[in-house]
Amino acid sequence: MNQKNGADHLMMRLAAFIVNKRKAFLVLFLVACVYSAFSISKVTIINDITEYLPDTTETRQGLDIMETEFTTFGTAQVLAANLTYETALSLADKLEEIDGISSVSFYREGDDAYEDAQLTDYYKDAAALYTLTFEEEEDTPRSQAAMAQVRQALEGCDTWVYTTVDKDDAASLREDMKVIMAVVVAVILLVLLFTSGTYTEIFIFLVVFGVAVLLNMGTNYWFGEVSFVTNTVGAVLQLAMSIDYAIILFHRFMEEREHMEPLDAITTALSKAIPEISSSSLTTVSGMVALMFMQFGIGMDLGQVLTKAILLSLFTVFFLMPALIVMLSDVIDRTRHRSFVPSIRLWGRFVVRVRYLTVPLFLAVIAAGYVYASRCPYIYDINSIESAKQNEYLTSKERIQQTFQVTNTMALLVPKGDYEKEAAILERLEQMDEVDTALGLANVEVSDDGRYILVDKLTPRAFAETADMDLEQVRLLYQFYALKHEQYSAFMKNLDEYRISIIDLVDFIYEQKESGGLDFDQELSEEIDDLHQAVCDAREQLEGEHYDRLVFTMKGPVEGAEVFAAVDRIRDMAHEYYKEVYVVGDATSNYDLSSSFQTDNVMISVLTALFVGIILLFTFQSAGLPVLLVLTIQGSIWINFSIPELTGTTMYFLSYLIVSSIQMGATIDYAIVITSRYLALRKCMPDRKQAAVEALNQAFPTIVTSGTIMICAGFAVGYLTSNAVIASLGTALGRGASISVILVMTVLPQLLLMFDKWIDKTELTRARDRKRVIRKEEAEA
């Protein structure tokens, strides 16, 4: 008792300090808001989810090499419908004339480049498919300008453009979030209006929420960079997960205000709310901390930002909200109104009456949910996610797939220099059923008959025939090359047997022409310039400082057991020639994501349940209650993720990892509210059935407020954003919160009632009291 009184006294002193220094805290929050407003723009947003792959994965290592050593030119696929072949051909020529476009791939009859192709690969059902290659990387101003001209040239045509050149996910998300935040704020206003006791509290809540969100967004730059997932949903999740804190404090104030002056009321209310809110927030924080243990780096990214968000929400409620309440206390009194929240005692009595039917049914449902959730069909490719609202990128991809086969571009990185090995690998790749095309320096053809490739070493006679040049002139060129490279053996042996690779000879001729060492007529000089530019383009894309890149396209999907098996075969085949190889592309990225998911899935589930269970153990001082509460929320998680399997849909893996953690950490608060009420009421009510009914009725306003906001926030994100990752996360969160609320409002009171005696027997205080009695009896004996 003395310890409890001591704790209460400490809380009163802390609350009194906060209330007495409220003006100073107001100034501090004002300064912090100005600081945060100017800091938001400093945050670097990462839009590529592969950036968060562990450094040990093949995809991450390969991407780092490609970023350092190679240039990847921008590409685009354009489908134009409802036009004749002649019109399509004319449009291809028009697109190829655009500055910044290096080539437009489209079937041209009689063109040797399309000798092995078929018209239906490019033109089918009055629809034409163009593949555009840009002269620079996709993010350069020239490529951006070229893409704008492409769109201008396509005006008036029925077209679908599939490209990342001018794809601005960040801008699209910003526009989506404006709508989402407007919807969420409208929902919050309606819910708070429904559950409020005074209209002024709505204004106070909005100010507190707004400040907390601003502080969190403004301090994100402390981490240097955040993912687009975190940046987009962070504010919405912060509101949904921490709204309880402000509601608890204000309701405490209104209770104390009935018999106290405003200053005394808020001081007393704050002293009681600090322990209650702090313990409630721990379960939410534990879910976020569990995310940080993921191998996949986005877990750390989201976990640390949302943990900070919850802490800042706590600080805002504890240190800013009391000042606002005192300032507006007179207005609060004048704007009181009757409560719109109905009594649900009738529902409570019904729940209690059917408990022997519902609880066994619940246990059967969660058992089935566990089985079906374990079979949930997860996907790992961003572009395979189904969402209610789709952006142009995904819409265009789907439209192209309706008529033509969309291939998946991959890259194989091997140590530089051995073209014979590369040629063997490329040949074997082309023979694989899963591979459509394969390209590397070792198979770039330079003669019309396909006899020679770019890295072949030719004699003077062979080069003269291929380049259509005079043999004597070519011999002189070979002598000059040997002299410049100090390869004097060429003069001592038969020069006609001296061999130089085509690619090296092109570079040499160009260098000598530019330096004035060799003189050519204008026509030949222009041909040399064009040939050298083509060689440079090939080298930028296919040859690095330490590695060569072999590019190949795969048919069919970008994930699944068959695709992953094909990638393994390609990797094993390359290892026959090299010790060090990297296979990079969407398929390997998805493969790495699926591998890390298996570990992350188990770790997050176990850690979240463990953290929450420990917190509940210390909160309720009972070994039995944590089991009942965790079982209820974990059951809702299993049911949530069994739905994709039952409905024949797919679930994006990241949505599962994030939502399962948030659903456990945040919605367990609903269970805590009802349990706390029940434990308090059963001490003063002889009928425990009535205690369960009353606990349900008293907890309803808090649960309906927080639960409705989380549900609406989730579904708003799910149905109003065009980003498939964010949409998938929002839909799963909204559905999960709905299931949690339903179970908490039905099954949990029944479990508390049916296992009431077990709760008593597993109380830690009961065990301690029993030991004291035993020790006392032993001492007396």
Side-chain angles (χ1 to χ4, degrees), residues 43-64:
V43 181
T44 301
I45 309 300
I46 303 299
N47 290 309
D48 185 3
I49 204 168
T50 59
E51 290 281 342
Y52 294 94
L53 282 169
D55 292 336
T56 55
T57 59
E58 181 181 19
T59 300
R60 183 69 267 150
Q61 294 173 357
L63 287 172
D64 289 341

Side-chain angles (χ1 to χ4, degrees), residues 74-279:
T75 60
Q77 282 191 308
V78 177
L79 184 141
N82 304 318
L83 72 172
T84 64
Y85 173 73
E86 289 72 20
T87 305
L89 199 59
S90 175
L91 182 57
D93 294 336
K94 184 178 180 181
L95 293 174
E96 201 160 28
E97 292 174 359
I98 295 174
D99 179 52
I101 301 293
S102 64
S103 67
V104 175
S105 177
F106 185 70
Y107 187 84
R108 291 173 171 83
E109 192 173 355
D111 191 329
D112 293 334
Y114 302 94
E115 182 179 357
D116 298 327
Q118 296 181 352
L119 175 62
T120 52
D121 293 335
Y122 299 86
Y123 182 82
K124 185 193 300 183
D125 300 333
L129 179 64
Y130 308 99
T131 301
L132 282 61
T133 303
F134 292 75
E135 294 184 354
E136 297 180 357
E137 295 178 284
E138 63 179 29
D139 56 352
T140 65
R142 190 180 181 197
S143 294
Q144 298 292 316
M147 193 65 236
Q149 292 183 55
V150 168
R151 292 189 179 277
Q152 187 176 1
L154 296 173
E155 287 182 357
C157 303
D158 294 332
T159 57
W160 288 264
V161 181
Y162 178 55
T163 183
T164 56
V165 172
D166 59 352
K167 182 172 178 273
D168 192 344
D169 286 328
S172 178
L173 277 173
R174 283 195 297 270
E175 293 302 313
D176 289 343
M177 287 309 299
K178 290 177 183 177
V179 178
I180 291 170
M181 288 302 294
V183 171
V184 171
V185 169
V187 169
I188 290 175
L189 287 173
L190 290 174
V191 172
L192 293 179
L193 179 62
F194 176 72
T195 59
S196 66
T198 169
Y199 294 116
T200 307
E201 72 179 85
I202 300 174
F203 171 76
I204 293 174
F205 289 160
L206 291 179
V207 172
V208 171
F209 299 154
V211 170
V213 169
L214 177 61
L215 294 180
N216 192 49
M217 294 181 67
T219 53
N220 280 343
Y221 90 96
W222 292 352
F223 303 124
E225 55 191 28
V226 298
S227 70
F228 74 95
V229 175
T230 302
N231 187 64
T232 303
V233 302
V236 176
L237 292 179
Q238 182 180 2
L239 290 179
M241 291 190 297
S242 61
I243 192 171
D244 289 352
Y245 312 152
I247 294 172
I248 291 171
L249 176 58
F250 194 85
H251 286 182
R252 285 284 188 184
F253 167 75
M254 294 298 286
E255 291 173 4
E256 303 298 335
R257 184 70 180 90
E258 295 296 326
H259 53 272
M260 291 184 182
E261 292 300 313
L263 277 175
D264 294 333
I266 188 59
T267 302
T268 304
L270 186 60
S271 69
K272 294 179 179 179
I274 288 176
E276 183 179 354
I277 295 172
S278 298
S279 61

Side-chain angles (χ1 to χ4, degrees), residues 334-382:
R334 291 198 301 269
T335 58
R336 287 174 180 258
H337 62 79
R338 69 178 182 85
S339 175
F340 301 115
V341 180
S343 168
I344 62 165
R345 291 186 179 88
L346 183 63
W347 168 256
R349 286 192 285 272
F350 171 77
V351 167
V352 168
R353 190 174 298 118
V354 300
R355 63 187 182 279
Y356 293 110
L357 173 65
T358 309
V359 170
L361 180 62
F362 163 71
L363 295 176
V365 169
I366 64 170
Y370 171 78
V371 172
Y372 283 107
S374 64
R375 301 175 185 171
C376 182
Y378 296 106
I379 57 174
Y380 306 92
D381 183 59
I382 293 177

